[in-house]
Amino acid sequence: MKKIAKVEWAISNVMALFLALMGLLVFSNVVLRYVFNSGLAWAEEFSRFLFVWVVFLGAIGALKGNQHLGFSSLVEALPEAMKKVCYVVSQSMMMLCLWVLFDGSLEMTLLTVDSYAPATGIPLACMYGIGVITSIGMFLIICCNLYRALFVKGAIDKLVHMKESE
């Protein structure tokens, strides 16, 4: 559990760093354009890379904390055995989607290893590689959640309850 906490802490801090850097780059580029009539050509592209990474890392963190939006009213009203069946089916469907994400991201990453972004010169594989990382991270979280749902008494009620829209 301590290793999981360290990974969560690292992901949160990387996201905070990327978000701060992205804000700084965008703000400085706006100031440079409006005050000095020039800007950093690479700042917009690098900010876009950082944004993609923040979104994908945030998806991992949201899944870990069961923070994704969902409709769980019907499932919460079911008996425990049916909750487990619905949960296993939904998680299996998510695993299928993660396989599609993994396969496509891996293919794009391998295809773009020798392609570089025009302004920054960063390999485009860095942009697509986060899909591989996200799919693996989310797959591991789902496996842990499925184990808890099937073998830990009372865990299904916590796993089924989703964050609802306000």
Side-chain angles (χ1 to χ4, degrees):
M1 289 305 274
K2 289 182 181 182
K3 288 183 182 183
I4 293 173
K6 286 182 182 180
V7 171
E8 285 181 61
W9 180 83
I11 288 174
S12 296
N13 284 327
V14 166
M15 285 180 6
L17 175 70
F18 284 1
L19 192 60
L21 185 57
M22 187 174 62
L24 180 68
L25 287 172
V26 170
F27 178 75
S28 60
N29 218 17
V30 167
V31 169
L32 286 172
R33 284 179 196 228
Y34 284 102
V35 175
F36 300 108
N37 287 330
S38 69
L40 303 171
W42 56 271
E44 180 183 345
E45 187 173 87
F46 193 61
S47 295
R48 193 175 324 122
F49 276 45
L50 292 174
F51 179 73
V52 170
W53 274 72
V54 166
V55 167
F56 276 77
L57 291 175
I60 296 172
L63 182 64
K64 174 67 176 91
N66 205 20
Q67 297 285 318
H68 285 283
L69 290 176
F71 179 74
S72 58
S73 299
L74 176 65
V75 177
E76 287 176 356
L78 295 173
E80 187 170 332
M82 287 306 295
K83 283 182 189 177
K84 286 184 181 183
V85 169
C86 289
Y87 188 77
V88 168
V89 168
S90 70
Q91 297 303 298
S92 299
M93 290 169 48
M94 286 177 58
M95 285 178 146
L96 180 64
C97 291
L98 287 174
W99 170 253
V100 172
L101 175 65
F102 175 79
D103 188 46
S105 296
L106 184 61
E107 188 174 334
M108 286 301 296
T109 301
L110 295 175
L111 284 173
T112 58
V113 168
D114 294 326
S115 300
Y116 299 95
T120 58
I122 297 173
L124 291 176
C126 293
M127 176 71 93
Y128 297 110
I130 188 62
V132 174
I133 294 167
T134 300
S135 58
I136 292 171
M138 292 177 93
F139 178 82
L140 294 173
I141 292 168
I142 289 173
C143 287
C144 290
N145 286 346
L146 281 172
Y147 176 81
R148 286 176 46 210
L150 295 173
F151 301 112
V152 175
K153 186 156 178 71
I156 191 68
D157 291 324
K158 291 179 186 175
L159 292 169
V160 166
H161 184 72
M162 302 292 291
K163 180 176 176 65
E164 293 185 17
S165 178
E166 295 176 5

